[in-house]
């Protein structure tokens, strides 16, 4: 949240009032009169609580905007990894659509879809999805899909899978996640959206079958979400 000049001035005025109150209250002559009274101890505590409250409020206002900018920067970087910059000239963070997604089991009841446009026409979409049942917990991903339903890219955002085994879903650890690029519901039969151990197209990892299995299944469900809403997404 960015503070406007008027809000800043109001905060300054409040701080000035509190400062004047404390200055008068802390005058030696005033303290000498108050010290024997029970109210003095209560006043001390209340004064410190008031100061802490004001400082926390000011700090929150000053840092909230910075935190949000950092989050937006991280998200934008993730979007750029799965949607080539040549496909859009709009700000995808500002061009979104929300879809109901509970039935697809991709981690949330509502999914925010970021829409890529080139010269006003939708060229691709991107959204986050989750495999909620990874070996060690949720596997959070982001996927870009072109207007025809072909995967442009998938990246893992976070996970708790076993280091040296399940973490091969990370692009920094192996090229496994890159095998989804170009795949779609049209060029790969439903039965093939599985690891090879289950009769599918995608490799499993030695000693870690659950991680790739659940990732493949979640990506497939993400494609189904896109397919079900393809028309309103590419023709908003």
């Amino acid at each position: 949240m960015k503070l406007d000049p008027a809000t800043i001035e109001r905060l300054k005025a409040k701080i000035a009032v509190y400062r004047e109150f404390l200055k008068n209250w802390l005058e030696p002559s005033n303290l000498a009169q108050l010290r024997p009274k029970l109210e003095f101890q209560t006043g001390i505590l209340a004064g410190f609580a008031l100061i802490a409250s004001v400082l926390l409020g000011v700090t929150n206002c000053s840092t909230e905007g910075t935190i949000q900018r950092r989050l937006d920067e991280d998200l934008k970087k993730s979007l750029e990894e799965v949607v080539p910059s040549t496909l859009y000239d709009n700000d995808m963070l500002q061009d979104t659509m929300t879809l109901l997604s509970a039935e697809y089991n991709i981690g949330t009841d509502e999914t925010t879809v970021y829409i890529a446009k080139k010269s006003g026409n939708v060229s691709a979409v991107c959204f986050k999805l989750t495999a909620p049942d990874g070996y060690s917990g949720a596997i959070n991903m982001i996927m870009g899909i072109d207007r025809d339903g072909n995967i442009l890219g998938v990246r893992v955002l976070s996970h708790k899978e076993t280091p040296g085994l399940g973490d091969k879903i990370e692009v920094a650890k192996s090229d496994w996640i890159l095998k989804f690029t170009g795949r779609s519901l049209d060029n790969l039969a439903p039965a093939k959206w599985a690891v090879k151990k289950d009769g599918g197209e995608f490799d499993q990892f030695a000693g870690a079958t659950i991680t790739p299995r659940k990732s493949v299944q979640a990506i497939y469900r993400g494609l189904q979400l896109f397919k079900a809403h393809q028309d309103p997404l590419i023709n908003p």
Side-chain angles (χ1 to χ4, degrees):
M1 179 179 66
K2 185 177 181 180
L3 296 181
D4 59 84
T7 301
I8 293 174
E9 290 303 317
R10 285 197 297 272
L11 285 172
K12 287 182 178 179
K14 287 184 178 181
I15 292 172
V17 170
Y18 295 143
R19 183 182 296 162
E20 185 64 24
F21 168 77
L22 288 173
K23 179 181 177 182
N24 293 332
W25 194 74
L26 293 171
E27 282 288 335
S29 57
N30 188 51
L31 291 177
Q33 296 177 16
L34 291 174
R35 191 171 288 111
K37 299 180 180 179
L38 177 63
E39 291 86 346
F40 176 74
Q41 304 298 332
T42 304
I44 288 288
L45 293 175
F48 279 117
L50 181 61
I51 293 171
S53 176
V54 171
L55 291 176
L56 284 173
V58 172
T59 301
N60 181 65
C61 288
S62 63
T63 60
E64 187 175 343
T66 301
I67 293 172
Q68 187 58 52
R69 282 195 298 274
R70 294 280 177 83
L71 291 174
D72 287 346
E73 288 170 2
D74 289 343
L75 177 55
K76 187 175 181 180
K77 183 179 179 181
S78 297
L79 294 174
E80 290 172 349
E81 288 191 45
V82 295
V83 179
S85 59
T86 55
L87 290 182
Y88 62 94
D89 53 19
N90 66 316
D91 183 355
M92 284 193 286
L93 294 182
Q94 302 300 321
D95 217 335
T96 65
M97 183 181 294
T98 301
L99 303 179
L100 297 177
S101 54
E103 65 180 287
Y104 297 94
N105 190 26
I106 56 172
T108 181
D109 292 343
E110 292 186 346
T111 296
T112 299
V113 180
Y114 302 92
I115 301 174
K117 293 180 180 179
K118 188 77 169 182
S119 301
N121 298 313
V122 175
S123 57
V125 301
C126 179
F127 54 89
K128 296 179 182 179
L129 66 156
T130 297
D133 45 4
Y135 180 77
S136 300
I139 301 170
N140 300 306
M141 298 174 279
I142 190 167
M143 176 165 63
I145 307 172
D146 71 17
R147 61 179 290 116
D148 297 318
N150 301 299
I151 293 177
L152 294 169
V154 183
R155 294 291 185 274
V156 173
L157 299 175
S158 63
H159 69 87
K160 298 179 181 178
E161 302 304 280
T162 307
L165 295 173
D167 64 353
K168 292 176 184 176
I169 53 177
E170 297 177 34
V171 72
K173 301 295 177 64
S174 81
D175 64 354
W176 182 84
I177 201 76
L178 302 179
K179 305 299 183 182
F180 292 96
T181 303
R183 298 296 189 178
S184 73
L185 297 180
D186 295 329
N187 63 28
L188 196 62
K192 290 296 182 179
W193 282 95
V195 294
K196 290 180 178 178
K197 185 175 182 179
D198 299 332
E201 180 73 15
F202 302 94
D203 292 332
Q204 62 268 356
F205 307 146
T209 301
I210 293 176
T211 302
R213 175 186 288 147
K214 296 305 180 180
S215 297
V216 172
Q217 292 172 357
I219 292 168
Y220 177 66
R221 294 194 298 270
L223 284 174
Q224 290 179 312
L225 171 68
F226 170 79
K227 188 71 173 180
H229 300 87
Q230 186 172 7
D231 187 61
L233 283 172
I234 67 175
N235 299 298

